[in-house]
Amino acid sequence: MYHKELIVSNSRLMIGATKTYKMCKEHVNGYENIGATLNDFKNFHRDVKCYINERDGQLFVDRFKNLADTREDFYFDYEVDADNSVARAVWADGAARRNYAVFGDAVSFDSTYSTNKYSMVFTPFTGVDNHRRSVTFCGALLFRENGESFTWLFRRFLEAMGGKEPQYIITDQDPGIIASVANVFKTVRHRFCTWHIMNKVLVKYEFDIRWSDIMAEHMVGPEREWFQEVFKIRRQWVLAHCRYLIMGSVLRTTQRSESENSFFKKFENSSGTLVEFWMRFESVIDQQRHTQKKLDNDNRHSSPKLLTQMPIENHGARVYTHVLFDDFQQEVISSTRGLSVRAISERNGVEITTLKDGLVGKLFDVQFDIATLQVCCTCLKFERCGMICRHIISILSSNGLNSILDGYVVRRWCKDAVGRTVDHVDVIDGRQVQLTRLWSEVYETVGLLKASDKDDIESLCTLIRDFRETLDPTTEELTKEHEIQQLLGFNTAKNKGSGKRMLSTKAVAVAKAAKPKRLCGNFLQRVTSVFQRLTLGVMLFDATSGSWSVTSVLHRET
């Protein structure tokens, strides 16, 4: 049973039967100790794939339904096409939804990654966490990339996230996506990937000022038409037009989605099934969240090195994650260098200080209301990035304020942004955790026995044999089908032959071509009537009249 579990587990990482056999040999210290041959490994690997292929769509849906039924925070929805095959599906677990609640102000959406033999496209919703790493909010599979599918998907995404819309969403310029975003989202700012557009512009220009120069160089042909269209939608991709967009600098391109797709591709192949996709998707998400939890833990139990004596720097080190603090620390250092006061005025009780920033050679106005402790700067760094700028830090320090003001520490960049939540663990998962711990104990004990004498080894063997005898000896051996179900964790699947098999496009076309044409109801009734009469008689041909007649077998003369 152990080697079968290893085969299924390794398949999540796209490790085949042969490599698994070699790994197993290293675990048990010799091929002779495996208890199975390489052909046994290959045959079981083949049996698992055959089992999945016969029930792929049903297994996929049943697994998600089971998760939704057993976990209150798990969201799943799907639709089937006219052939009763899965056409689109969307899912998000509790951890993904909690991440969206904190980091869902900026979302990247990309739909260019085909993941399985049915040519269904994987379309993740991706964001940026408090460590500036990619985080997956929601996963989806679409059979068709059209306006109807995208509209359905965006509505389900909003439903999964409790109706909360992001501040903005970045996509490519797909017409179906553009129309669906406008149709579904009410307050979101739709932005296009800056990189995809600028990649087509060979020379960088000062946008609105030099645009006429660009047009002069492309006076005729399709290039001019393309530039005109791009100019019309400049609010959706030019950075200068996004300066006032809240958290507008968190995402500027769909590179996050593309890098996520590249990461997922390492664990997928175009000939895989839906079940294999889901198993590997879980493995990838586990890796992503393990990294996030490790960073959270490291940030909580370590402190970055301080480079100044300013108390506000110490405050930033306590609240911000390390990667964000690096930027904040540079702002603190810059607040003591290259800034000079050019003017101070007051308007309605608000102090306005004009600073000359020597680093960029520009003037910036900082407005500070001492009564309400409200502050803002014309550089708009806080609005765009969620972190106060060096100009504000300078003004706060000059007014004797030694910490970041309340309301100016954005939660999404804090060490405890998500909180120490415990992910849902059901009974089956808990049992699996216990088994994993048992294997760890076995490996560690066997490792220690390598330096022990034969008596210690024999004592352990005797202890294991005695314990095995206490187990119920009457337990029936699992059938191969049931065994595979347990190993896959898809125990809710129906028996062979039931449920709708998920067919590829080619298979559907072949099946339709081979299917006999339907006959009209009147013709079928006539054929049935004649057949019933033939069961009681024989057809006789009258050469004189040229017609057939039925004579009862029971009354025929011998």
Side-chain angles (χ1 to χ4, degrees), residues 61-73:
V61 171
D62 285 347
R63 174 58 173 169
F64 276 114
K65 283 184 175 180
N66 182 56
L67 290 173
D69 290 340
T70 56
R71 303 181 182 182
E72 294 181 356
D73 56 2

Side-chain angles (χ1 to χ4, degrees), residues 392-407:
I392 291 178
I393 294 174
S394 176
I395 297 302
L396 294 180
S397 298
S398 64
N399 282 274
L401 297 172
N402 297 322
S403 62
I404 306 170
L405 297 175
D406 292 341

